[in-house]
Amino acid sequence: MAQWTQMKQLIPYLATQILNELYSPSFPMDVRCYLANWIEEQRWEDFEPEKVDQEPQALTLLDQIISCLQNLAGQNPNVVERMRLQRISRNMNMFRSQPFQLVLTVRDVLRKERELLSQASTQFPGLARFSQPPAQDSMAAAPPTRDVDLLVLKVLEIQDCRQQIHQLQEELNWERQNYESMQGTLQQTQTNGMDPSMSEVTKLQTNIKQHEYNGQVIAKKRVQLLQEAVSSLEKCQSRLINRIKAWRWEQHQATIGHPFDDNLSPLQTWCEQLLGVNGKLRQEVMLAGEPIPELQERLGRLLQTLIQSSLMVDKQPPQVIKTQSKFSTTVRYLLGEKVAPGKPVLFKAQIITEAQARNLGQLGSLPSENVGELINNTAILEHNTSGKSTCATFRNMSIKKIKRADRKGSESVTEEKFALFFTTEISITGCDIPYKIQMISVPVVVIVHGSQDNNALATIIWDCAFSEPERIPFLVPERVPWKQMCRTLNSKFMSEVGTQRCLDNYNQHFLAQKIFDKPDIAGDYSNMLVSWAQFNKEVLPGRPFTFWQWFDGVIELTKKHLKSYWSDGLIFGFIGKQHLHLILKDRPNGTFLLRFSDSEIGGITIAYVAPSENGGQKIQNIQPSTKRDLEIRSLGDRIQDIDFITHVYPDLPKNDVFRKYYTDNPLPRDTTSGYLVVSIQTKVGVEAHCDSPQHSETPQDNNSSFYAMDQGNGASASPFYSLSPSQGPTSEMELEEILNTLSE
């Protein structure tokens, strides 16, 4: 379902009209989504309108679709989805009279999807992964069976030719022996004056000439087949190398949330197959009657490239590494089962700078200068029989110290990129000489303190999102189009939070306003260029933090405390105050929405419509709740506490949509402690001040209460947490934990 996986990434950016034309009511998007894997396994391209004899096959496919939908409906616990699937399966029966129309519809949908994905590279430059039709990508993910089969057949044909030549040579040797024997007999009879018959001799001469001719024809054919086989092997191996590079690129892109299949088994099978074909062809070239140096050289180069390209960094090191901290990484050798037995293969790792990585790519030489001290930097290549993989795992590796390069201008240490460089020498069964193989990891940033983590991650995000596949290590553009940046932010947000809900157009527009410092609601920012400095070097106007630091704070808050709220569509998200006033100005009092704070890192605030002093309306913003606040009292309970907010924008009663997030009051516990049960409530602004506690000499006075007020700016209403006595006792330990939390 590679094609549908990529379509899901593209769909949010397609116009509604295009989607309606692509997925019609007769073949809705639901069918495409639920049956994605099955649909892409069928041979829709085999169907043609003029082939009426294909109608039984079409009817079979229709029955299978209906059956699959009914099975999915029966297994779905969600009543709404189950009813929808049952209705769709009933609607599919309309194709009973014209099953051929169904298969042609599906075929055309898949074709249009491929066309849209192929156009995405020009319409959406940031979506580099769409530059090739996904149908080709899905085929490239596994060994091209047909190509390899054809290669094997060519090898068998070459071997057959060799056997024919060998058989002809044996027959030719026999015929020559008979001819020489008959020649001797002929000379003897002529000496004795006899007149022998020449028919036998002539027949032998004819047979000898025919065998010689046949041998030459087959030998010529064999050389031609060898040439063709080597050329086919070159093409097949070129596709393999491209797929290996693509796998590495997809692994790199996974950092920013792009889909990635880390299964290396198909590539391993492909490598092993081509190594076997190469060995057989080298053997056939050696067994040729005359040396063919050109083919020997080509096969030797192919062998060396295959052996050296089969080393993969299966598990990359963390891309932000703190010195003196342990980490691990694993390299995998795809030809591990072909490694010659005997001496263990020892891998060594060292850390290299960006300049060293660049020289490595250009010159192929080993780095001479040691820029860092790695602990536990060796590992033995070991074969896992059950997993059929051969890996070297560096466990408990650590960077003891690092040597920094001279920095230019205002460049920070968190902008300096390094990589791990893995090397070894390996011998392959059937090869005369050992080969040196090497590989570098994805770029890493080395830090010495946890406070540098956020800025280091920004460097990695920029590198993963905007680097080119075949770049010089580790070059990245200084500026990128906003639409490319926007998709990166959306992908990172969705993957980190673990949600299927993306940032909508309102969210994306506000993010553009934020990074470009342009508060105007109107305007298209798609083609405006965002610089690295705007992303994470320059602080936002009037704020002590950068754009990335602010955005990453929202990701962390949402991931840890707001994932379900966001996924359920209860959080509006990123929205500017101008736009906020525009959409709330005509709403009744008590209407509210949840938005991420733009004034502090990792905060969510409630904006609501309130009555003004002159009888009109005004928009109020309650002071943002941070991670620490939500650890004390959840967002759902806070919303329940505030009585004057009643409807979630646009007009949903809050108790209907937030009820599942309300925490039930605990039952009274043991009364032997003598303490009153304490509950925490959120109170806002004047309401909190009106309930301000009176001093009391008695700790257990039923009128006593405690308030902790968050400090905020004057424009926002401040929430207050009220520790109020409830009916029923609690333990002293519980009360102490609550008070300690508030005082931290």
Side-chain angles (χ1 to χ4, degrees):
M1 53 186 295
Q3 181 165 317
W4 178 245
T5 300
Q6 297 189 28
M7 275 303 298
K8 285 195 297 184
Q9 301 290 320
L10 183 59
I11 282 173
Y13 310 106
L14 296 177
T16 303
Q17 182 181 353
I18 294 177
L19 291 175
N20 290 339
E21 292 174 356
L22 182 60
Y23 306 109
S24 63
S26 61
F27 186 75
M29 189 188 297
D30 306 67
V31 179
R32 180 68 179 96
C33 176
Y34 282 111
L35 305 183
N37 195 39
W38 180 87
I39 286 173
E40 292 179 29
E41 288 175 352
Q42 310 310 311
R43 301 177 65 89
W44 307 101
E45 292 295 335
D46 291 350
F47 289 90
E48 295 296 339
E50 62 275 7
K51 295 182 179 179
V52 293
D53 59 318
Q54 293 180 322
E55 188 165 312
Q57 298 171 253
L59 187 59
T60 300
L61 290 173
L62 172 61
D63 290 335
Q64 290 176 352
I65 289 178
I66 294 173
S67 176
C68 288
L69 289 171
Q70 290 173 345
N71 289 338
L72 286 171
Q75 298 168 7
N76 200 315
N78 187 301
V79 177
V80 176
E81 291 185 14
R82 183 162 66 246
M83 297 292 290
R84 181 172 177 79
L85 285 167
Q86 289 173 349
R87 179 171 56 80
I88 293 173
S89 67
R90 287 195 299 269
N91 291 344
M92 296 300 289
N93 281 302
M94 63 178 284
F95 288 108
R96 286 282 179 197
S97 58
Q98 293 180 311
F100 213 81
Q101 188 61 41
L102 169 68
V103 296
L104 295 181
T105 299
V106 179
R107 184 198 67 180
D108 292 342
V109 166
L110 295 174
R111 285 179 178 179
K112 289 174 184 175
E113 285 181 352
R114 288 194 287 271
E115 183 179 351
L116 287 169
L117 290 168
S118 65
Q119 293 171 356
S121 59
T122 54
Q123 294 178 3
F124 308 105
L127 301 180
R129 63 188 184 280
F130 295 148
S131 58
Q132 294 296 327
Q136 296 178 12
D137 292 343
S138 62
M139 291 175 63
T145 307
R146 179 174 174 79
D147 289 352
V148 175
D149 287 348
L150 288 175
L151 267 173
V152 172
L153 288 174
K154 281 187 182 294
V155 171
L156 291 174
E157 193 174 357
I158 292 167
Q159 291 174 336
D160 183 60
C161 286
R162 174 169 54 81
Q163 291 169 358
Q164 289 182 43
I165 292 172
H166 180 72
Q167 185 177 353
L168 280 172
Q169 188 63 48
E170 287 182 341
E171 292 177 2
L172 184 61
N173 292 340
W174 179 256
E175 296 286 356
R176 283 174 176 167
Q177 182 179 342
N178 289 340
Y179 176 76
E180 291 173 358
S181 175
M182 191 166 288
Q183 281 284 80
T185 304
L186 180 62
Q187 291 175 359
Q188 186 176 359
T189 54
Q190 286 178 342
T191 304
N192 296 332
M194 300 176 62
D195 186 17
S197 172
M198 298 294 294
S199 60
E200 292 282 343
V201 177
T202 304
K203 183 179 179 180
L204 283 173
Q205 288 177 327
T206 303
N207 287 343
I208 290 171
K209 289 180 180 180
Q210 186 64 48
H211 285 329
E212 289 175 343
Y213 175 78
N214 291 343
Q216 292 171 356
V217 170
I218 296 174
K220 186 177 180 181
K221 178 184 177 182
R222 184 170 180 271
V223 172
Q224 183 180 353
L225 287 172
L226 279 169
Q227 295 276 6
E228 293 174 358
V230 172
S231 297
S232 297
L233 178 60
E234 287 172 335
K235 292 177 183 178
C236 193
Q237 184 165 310
S238 177
R239 286 192 288 273
L240 167 63
I241 301 301
N242 288 336
R243 181 55 203 151
I244 287 175
K245 291 178 180 178
W247 188 94
R248 291 171 179 155
W249 175 246
E250 290 163 9
Q251 184 190 47
H252 186 44
Q253 294 277 287
T255 302
I256 53 174
H258 288 189
F260 169 56
D261 182 3
D262 63 354
N263 182 17
L264 280 169
S265 296
L267 288 178
Q268 177 171 312
T269 300
W270 198 350
C271 288
E272 290 170 348
Q273 289 174 338
L274 295 194
L275 180 67
V277 170
N278 189 296
K280 288 187 173 81
L281 288 177
R282 283 184 292 117
Q283 185 180 34
E284 292 301 321
V285 170
M286 290 173 60
L287 293 173
E290 296 179 0
I292 314 176
E294 179 215 349
L295 293 184
Q296 289 175 330
E297 290 176 8
R298 289 166 65 186
L299 287 169
R301 286 195 299 269
L302 286 171
L303 178 64
Q304 181 176 355
T305 301
L306 181 62
I307 290 173
Q308 294 177 338
S309 301
S310 297
L311 180 61
M312 313 288 281
V313 184
D314 189 14
K315 303 296 180 186
Q316 293 283 353
Q319 289 194 257
V320 177
I321 303 175
K322 184 175 176 291
T323 55
Q324 310 293 337
S325 297
K326 294 179 181 180
F327 64 93
S328 64
T329 183
T330 300
V331 294
R332 177 171 172 176
Y333 194 55
L334 301 182
L335 294 175
E337 293 190 359
K338 309 301 178 182
V339 174
K343 183 180 177 182
V345 178
L346 183 68
F347 273 92
K348 181 181 179 182
Q350 68 181 100
I351 191 162
I352 60 175
T353 65
E354 181 174 341
Q356 288 176 322
R358 200 168 297 170
N359 293 334
L360 187 71
Q362 293 174 353
L363 306 176
S365 57
L366 297 176
S368 55
E369 183 183 6
N370 192 358
V371 298
E373 184 178 345
L374 275 177
I375 299 174
N376 299 324
N377 66 329
T378 59
I380 293 176
L381 190 67
E382 298 175 316
H383 184 67
N384 182 339
T385 307
S386 59
K388 295 184 179 180
S389 61
T390 306
C391 302
T393 300
F394 296 81
R395 300 177 179 86
N396 301 319
M397 191 184 285
S398 177
I399 300 177
K400 186 175 181 180
K401 60 182 179 180
I402 193 73
K403 180 180 178 182
R404 302 284 184 184
D406 294 333
R407 291 185 293 280
K408 301 176 182 178
S410 60
E411 187 179 21
S412 165
V413 294
T414 57
E415 296 176 61
E416 187 176 4
K417 287 177 276 191
F418 297 87
L420 294 185
F421 179 57
F422 305 96
T423 57
T424 193
E425 189 173 81
I426 202 161
S427 297
I428 300 295
T429 302
C431 299
D432 299 330
I433 59 172
Y435 290 87
K436 291 182 179 179
I437 57 175
Q438 59 191 44
M439 179 53 56
I440 64 172
S441 71
V442 294
V444 301
V445 175
V446 180
I447 61 174
V448 296
H449 193 274
S451 61
Q452 299 172 312
D453 184 81
N454 185 273
N455 291 327
L457 182 58
T459 299
I460 295 302
I461 297 293
W462 190 277
D463 184 272
C464 292
F466 309 126
S467 57
E468 295 295 330
E470 298 293 334
R471 64 169 171 177
I472 298 172
F474 298 112
L475 292 182
V476 289
E478 183 61 29
R479 297 175 181 273
V480 295
W482 166 249
K483 54 190 173 186
Q484 197 172 344
M485 166 65 76
C486 190
R487 293 184 191 105
T488 297
L489 296 176
N490 181 58
S491 179
K492 184 65 177 174
F493 183 91
M494 291 176 67
S495 65
E496 284 293 317
V497 173
T499 180
Q500 293 299 311
R501 183 189 167 201
C502 63
L503 302 176
D504 62 23
N505 292 335
Y506 297 115
N507 295 158
Q508 295 174 14
H509 191 82
F510 174 69
L511 292 175
Q513 292 176 313
K514 186 84 171 173
I515 202 167
F516 291 120
D517 190 28
K518 293 183 180 293
D520 296 335
I521 292 178
D524 180 12
Y525 301 98
S526 300
N527 296 316
M528 289 185 64
L529 296 179
V530 182
S531 68
W532 161 250
Q534 288 172 306
F535 180 65
N536 194 56
K537 206 167 182 66
E538 301 168 351
V539 296
L540 293 168
R543 309 295 184 207
F545 45 77
T546 67
F547 175 86
W548 167 252
Q549 290 167 348
W550 168 75
F551 185 79
D552 188 49
V554 172
I555 291 178
E556 285 298 307
L557 180 74
T558 309
K559 178 169 64 174
K560 293 180 179 177
H561 296 283
L562 306 175
K563 176 182 175 180
S564 298
Y565 299 91
W566 173 265
S567 298
D568 288 347
L570 300 179
I571 298 176
F572 196 96
F574 301 99
I575 181 173
K577 294 199 175 168
Q578 273 188 313
H579 187 204
L580 178 68
H581 282 72
L582 189 65
I583 66 174
L584 289 181
K585 66 178 182 179
D586 297 325
R587 296 290 166 181
N589 292 342
T591 303
F592 72 98
L593 60 77
L594 298 167
R595 69 180 186 89
F596 297 124
S597 171
D598 64 346
S599 61
E600 61 180 273
I601 295 177
I604 187 166
T605 186
I606 301 172
Y608 67 97
V609 181
S612 63
E613 293 76 6
N614 59 7
Q617 290 181 322
K618 60 182 178 181
I619 309 300
Q620 291 279 69
N621 289 277
I622 297 176
Q623 182 175 324
S625 299
T626 62
K627 171 187 171 184
R628 181 181 173 188
D629 298 324
L630 297 180
E631 286 172 347
I632 296 172
R633 188 155 179 80
S634 71
L635 180 62
D637 287 336
R638 288 167 181 270
I639 290 171
Q640 184 185 25
D641 292 341
I642 306 172
D643 294 332
F644 53 78
I645 58 173
T646 58
H647 287 74
V648 185
Y649 176 82
D651 56 3
L652 302 174
K654 76 169 185 181
N655 289 333
D656 290 351
V657 294
F658 280 97
R659 189 178 306 278
K660 71 176 184 179
Y661 295 105
Y662 296 163
T663 303
D664 295 332
N665 291 325
L667 296 174
R669 298 190 183 178
D670 181 20
T671 60
T672 58
S673 64
Y675 288 98
L676 298 176
V677 172
V678 175
S679 65
I680 302 177
Q681 288 185 323
T682 306
K683 296 192 176 183
V684 180
V686 177
E687 178 189 10
H689 288 289
C690 292
D691 287 342
S692 181
Q694 303 295 322
H695 291 287
S696 172
E697 298 292 331
T698 307
Q700 297 183 23
D701 186 348
N702 288 348
N703 293 323
S704 66
S705 58
F706 175 80
Y707 295 87
M709 182 175 70
D710 285 347
Q711 300 300 317
N713 57 50
S716 301
S718 302
F720 290 73
Y721 309 128
S722 174
L723 290 181
S724 305
S726 303
Q727 298 302 319
T730 187
S731 68
E732 183 177 3
M733 181 178 297
E734 288 174 331
L735 180 59
E736 183 179 354
E737 288 177 355
I738 294 171
L739 293 175
N740 286 341
T741 302
L742 290 170
S743 63
E744 285 180 357

